Amino acid sequence: MILVGDIGGTRTRLALATRANGAWRVMQLQERPTGADILPMIREFLTAASGPAIEAAAFCGAGPVADDGSIRLTNAPVRLEPAALARAAGVGRAILINDFAAVAESLPALPPAQLLPCGGGGTRIGPRVVMGPGTGFGVAIATPAGAGWAVVAGDGGHADLAPIDDEELDVWRRLRVLHGRVSAETVLCGPGLERLHVALHGPPRLEAEQIALRAWRGEAPAAQTVALFTRWLGSVAGNLALIAGALGGVYLAGGILPRWGSHFDAALFRTAFEDKPPYAEWLAAIPAYVVTHPSPGLLGLALRAGSYTAEE
């Protein structure tokens, strides 16, 4: 049995993972707000959980891994240390990786039914980009390596966001006045959707879920906000596909798009994704998917920890 934990800027998810018939299964999932009480939360979870003893523990955090192996969450005042996590879990050592690296680790195990196609051609052998909006904007790359995959964690969400036409330039200028430097994460996350709505329509600031619901009801201001969000998401995804040479596809994860479901305008996303001459045709062949698995990061952590356990 493996303890897995996804510690995000807003929510923390803990679960147990076990392997049966060659496939990993995540169970006894518990979700709580992220705070400074991560270690007591882990101990309480294990006390309440039933099942065999914990063989290994793996965690991911929404931030870069420092030289000492720790993670300071980008959007919450929390620092994660592998040794402290291991003690709380009652194991000799704990794996700690970036949250989108964990999602990238899950790609080989995701069934087709949990990948919602968003245009493009068929999946080919080559690098895959994993990205998506949640509390922040995460990015990772998975690339073929020997008989398996190598995962590269990055912080592409903090790269600059560029306008490509006069409408985007006008909104970008308003965002710069309000927030200073404009990165992808300034717009492409839950708080970013709220910031974008204010930049377009002024205060009051609405919550991201309110904006989405108003857009689905056909309210023009919210619909405009969601449309520009989707266009910028497609543009950034296309940039990352070019940078990574992502012949294997672009995988959209995070907390927002799976909740949008059929409301996500895949056609608008693809238009912005492919609008990069002279590489429009090359990008048009790259498939994109929305990851609908409820816990891809936890699945990826189980795969990562399971491989280490097998090596030992």
Side-chain angles (χ1 to χ4, degrees):
M1 191 74 69
I2 295 174
L3 171 66
V4 289
D6 184 346
I7 304 166
T10 302
R11 308 289 294 179
T12 291
R13 312 178 86 202
L14 299 173
L16 300 177
T18 185
R19 190 170 186 176
N21 301 319
W24 284 97
R25 184 165 62 98
V26 175
M27 56 191 184
Q28 297 193 43
L29 176 65
Q30 181 184 98
E31 183 172 334
R32 295 186 187 179
T34 295
D37 60 341
I38 297 297
L39 302 181
M41 188 188 307
I42 292 170
R43 289 190 286 266
E44 290 171 13
F45 172 81
L46 291 174
T47 298
S50 59
I54 301 300
E55 305 170 52
F59 301 89
C60 62
V65 179
D67 291 343
D68 64 358
S70 68
I71 291 178
R72 186 177 297 278
L73 300 188
T74 303
N75 294 301
V78 175
R79 186 170 183 266
L80 308 173
E81 297 180 343
L85 292 168
R87 287 193 296 272
V91 295
R93 67 182 178 116
I95 295 167
L96 179 59
I97 61 176
N98 170 264
D99 59 340
F100 266 73
V103 177
E105 293 277 2
S106 77
L107 293 185
L110 289 176
Q114 292 178 325
L115 296 171
L116 179 66
C118 295
T123 301
R124 292 173 285 173
I125 296 174
R128 300 177 178 184
V129 168
V130 181
M131 52 170 278
T135 302
F137 185 82
V139 176
I141 297 170
T143 188
W149 291 85
V151 170
V152 180
D155 288 292
H158 297 277
D160 297 326
L161 181 67
I164 62 167
D165 59 26
D166 289 342
E167 178 193 1
E168 291 185 6
L169 178 59
D170 180 52
V171 178
W172 183 92
R173 283 172 170 157
R174 291 182 231 167
L175 287 164
R176 186 181 64 172
V177 169
L178 292 168
H179 305 290
R181 176 176 170 267
V182 181
S183 69
E185 187 170 286
T186 303
V187 171
L188 298 177
C189 61
L193 183 65
E194 299 167 9
R195 288 189 282 264
L196 182 60
H197 193 69
V198 171
L200 281 166
H201 306 293
R205 178 163 169 164
L206 302 177
E207 293 183 358
E209 290 186 5
Q210 291 178 288
I211 296 167
L213 289 173
R214 291 186 183 200
W216 313 152
R217 291 199 299 261
E219 296 184 22
Q224 182 188 10
T225 301
V226 169
L228 183 52
F229 180 98
T230 302
R231 280 170 46 194
W232 252 325
L233 180 68
S235 182
V236 169
N239 290 342
L240 292 170
L242 288 171
I243 292 166
L247 296 176
V250 172
Y251 294 76
L252 305 171
I256 293 178
L257 300 185
R259 290 202 301 269
W260 284 10
S262 62
H263 293 293
F264 177 59
D265 191 339
L268 182 59
F269 168 86
R270 287 299 310 194
T271 297
F273 179 84
E274 298 171 14
D275 185 19
K276 298 185 187 297
Y279 277 84
E281 185 176 348
W282 188 85
L283 286 163
I286 291 179
Y289 307 92
V290 173
V291 176
T292 61
H293 187 286
S295 307
L298 296 180
L299 175 61
L301 289 171
L303 287 164
R304 179 77 168 258
S307 66
Y308 278 129
T309 302
E311 291 172 4
E312 293 173 350

